[in-house]
Amino acid sequence: MSLWNIVSHMPPEEFSSLFAEFPRSLRCLLADWLENQPWEFINGSDAFCTSMASGMLSAMLEKLRSAAGSDGQQCQILQQVSNIESAYRRDPLRLVAVLKAILEGEKAAVLKRDRHLPLSFHRRQEELKFSLGLQRLQHRVREVQALRERSSQLRDGSAASLPLNPQLKTEPKAPESELPTLILEATKELEVAKQQVLKRIQIWKRQQQLAGNGALFEENLAPLQKRCESLVEVYFQLHQQVMAASADLGPELLPRLLERFNEVLSSLVKSSFLVEKQPPQVLKTQTKFQASVRFLLGPQLLKASTKPYMVRADMVTEKQARELALSAYGNTLSESTGEIMHNVVALETNPTSGTCCANFKNVLLKKIKRCERKGSESVTEEKCAVLFSTTVALSPSNLTVHLQVLSLPIVVIVHGNQDNNAKATVLWDNAFSEIDRVPFVVAERVPWEKMCDTLNLKFMAEVQTTKGLLKEHYFFLAQKIFNDHSASLEDFQSRSVSWAQFNKEILPGRGFTFWQWFDGVLDLTKRCLKSYWSDRLIIGFISKQYVCKLLSTEPDGTFLLRFSDSEIGGVTIAHVIRGKDGSSQVENIQPFSAKDLSIRSLGDRIRDLGQLRNLYPNTPKDQAFGSHYNKEQTGKDGRGYVSTAIKMTVESERDQQPQSTAGGGPEPPQAQMFSLPVLQPELRPENLQSVLSPICPPAPFCSQSMSSYPAGESNVNMMVPEAIGSSFPSTSPMLSSSLVMDPALPRCQDLAFRNPMSFMTNQYMPGEASQLLPGGPSPEPRDEEMPELAPFTPMDAPLQSSPRWMAPSMDLPPGSEFDQFLQEMSLESPALCPPFTPPPAAQRIPQPQRFVLGAGGVPVGRQRPARARVRGLRGPWDCEPRHSLVWAPGLDTICAGVETLAGEGREFCGGGQHFG
């Protein structure tokens, strides 16, 4: 946006005093053109300034006459133009002063209202300043050339025939004394122009670094390359004039001038070697990345070579980078701190695009050497960089120059869980580093106001939204990071925040830092809540206490959305309900993570909850979230299946009903499902069941009552094929209670075969209904995934099993193998496998026997098992499919009727039943 675009919308009365000598109507016609001229940079009354002022006056008059042709008041405008020409033609510098005062007054008015000027205006002013300086330098070169030629003519005695240059305004009587002074002035202006170019390059680098945090960035290097090439061209012209006038400069002045000239060229050449595409600032080892460097003066200065110039990329530590910077990148790197694959690329010039680049593709950091860290500095606070270097020969002087440039700071990680803290280091460095700093020094404390700008910039860039953070959000963030709920918003503005508060100190009562929490909000909003945030449906950054204050006076059903204060990456719904006593209460629903919202969107969840009526303060929820509802499918799809949907419900205290109602008894408890098998620390007769009675010798059943796990135990429902009836004395595809409890059946008195796990009548195992064929063969076993087992407690003593179940031909594996497995399991997950007392050394653990039992416990055949390998144990320990049984005396477990998943095998013998 230009300055005039702002000024034209402001009240004209604020600028009435500015247009005493220049009509405001003409200012309106000139509009943007006026501020795009270097009025403010014409200082002085020399020949160059007068010439520039005269040329700008002529251009302005032409602009006004062309604009008057399309205006209704053409005669009046032309009369004003004529008055301007007559008033300022003889003194164009006076017009420059008048227009400069008008522009200064407009800038002051905009600064007073907005406190800043448009960024585009600053950029344009900087370009005008450099352009005018370059024109002045070119004018100086012409002056030096004219004065040198006059001096030469005077020495030849033909000065009378040489006309005087009207721009010089110098007398021909003493050109020898004026030439050194003019050359010194031109050299000084050359150095000023060089500093402007170097400053512009540093600004480009700084903007590139801020772009890493989400700032807007003009990546195009073509204008900057044009500046460098224009200045180098003037440099060679002036250098040529100095060498031609060496006889007039003397033996003392010439060497000093040449040294200054070499410094100008060397600075321009070295500074024009840039990293156009930065490598990732969080770089994981063994991960490929890309980068590119560009030599702005390459197309102009590189001497033709039979072999292309090669650019090398090396990893350097912060200490090495500091040493290189202190030597002005004159030293060479002694040792790389990391091993980079494919790190040498040719520097190629493209005549079509006029660029000279080296593109690094498929570069890979193989490994990194860590340096000694300071104090409590962690790995993710250690900063490195990639050093790009090459040696080139410049034309026409055939000067050899060693070019080096550092990338932005890089944090090298070896695991994904380091990414969050590494991003914090990069964010802090990008936001608060200074131009031309010593690598990679950054402030330890920064003003909170700057931190707010950084967080807002990062949030808008990550979420890709135009809706940034508000002052209310900053207030909540300040309370969180400073742990101060008594200060006001104005109090926080004067505070400063430290790096430790940002990402080293754990928040009070939490298990994470401020940045870890904020980054979780960023990720959640970016993945699932972008549209909701952009529509301002989420307040987000607000404390639970302040939510209660806001909603305490609102009607029932009012709700708002906020980010969870106690969980990373969660959003919760706070809503108003009526308690049993009729009072207003605020409830917070369990936060939704990104995984939750990927299953069902936030809008659909809000639609599901009937108790939510109005979005705070008073917007009906369907009006607010209607555009975010997903269309629900009804009827059948193209394949004839009926559509299904997931609905969310919330149970509050008001919704919970008593267990019994008047006129009716309590609801009967549901039958216990098949419980997951766990290893028991102690097996007692009163806890055993008789489900395995068919395999016992004829004897009366052991009398016991049915038992089950307490509420909260994980249960698995499994279908049972009808073919199971061939192995159990039941005509029903489901096991009936008569099988378990019928006192007429024989009971087993041997405690070794009692089972502590309940086997209820509604138990079923995996299988399709079409496979339930009574009396038929068992279908081909299928691998079914079983839920993870609950932790078990250690046994007091190894359980002994009856030797009658051991097959005579069974080989016993060495006992140390199972001991090793238990030790590895206890080291890897103590909760899953506590310390276990191994069996005596003399005891050997046989391989599990595989057989199928028919009615009465008689083996009827063998069946191929579905293999389930136990993690950490060498060799397969197989569990049988469906109604087959596996028994291993050393394990004290029978795996009954469960298919288990082959592979890692966290299921310890699948659906095994324990026995004593």
Side-chain angles (χ1 to χ4, degrees), residues 676-678 786-792 832 906-910:
L676 289 179
V678 293
M786 294 194 62
E788 192 171 342
L789 298 178
F792 61 91
L832 181 62
R906 289 188 300 178
E907 300 83 69
F908 194 76
C909 279

Side-chain angles (χ1 to χ4, degrees), residues 284-298:
K284 186 179 179 182
T285 55
Q286 302 296 332
T287 302
K288 293 183 179 180
F289 65 93
Q290 297 181 352
S292 66
V293 294
R294 182 168 172 176
F295 186 27
L296 299 182
L297 292 175

Side-chain angles (χ1 to χ4, degrees), residues 397-468:
S397 60
N398 198 25
L399 177 66
T400 300
V401 180
H402 186 62
L403 302 177
Q404 295 183 111
V405 63
L406 281 173
S407 71
L408 291 176
I410 293 173
V411 178
V412 179
I413 62 175
V414 297
H415 195 278
N417 60 9
Q418 298 172 317
D419 182 74
N420 180 274
N421 292 326
K423 288 193 297 184
T425 302
V426 169
L427 178 74
W428 187 277
D429 190 272
N430 288 346
F432 308 120
S433 61
E434 300 291 339
I435 295 179
D436 273 343
R437 62 169 174 174
V438 176
F440 297 108
V441 177
V442 66
E444 282 291 326
R445 299 188 71 90
V446 296
W448 170 245
E449 191 173 4
K450 286 188 176 181
M451 174 57 73
C452 291
D453 295 338
T454 300
L455 295 177
N456 182 52
L457 190 67
K458 185 67 173 178
F459 188 91
M460 294 176 66
E462 286 289 324
V463 181
Q464 297 182 351
T465 179
T466 58
K467 303 297 176 64

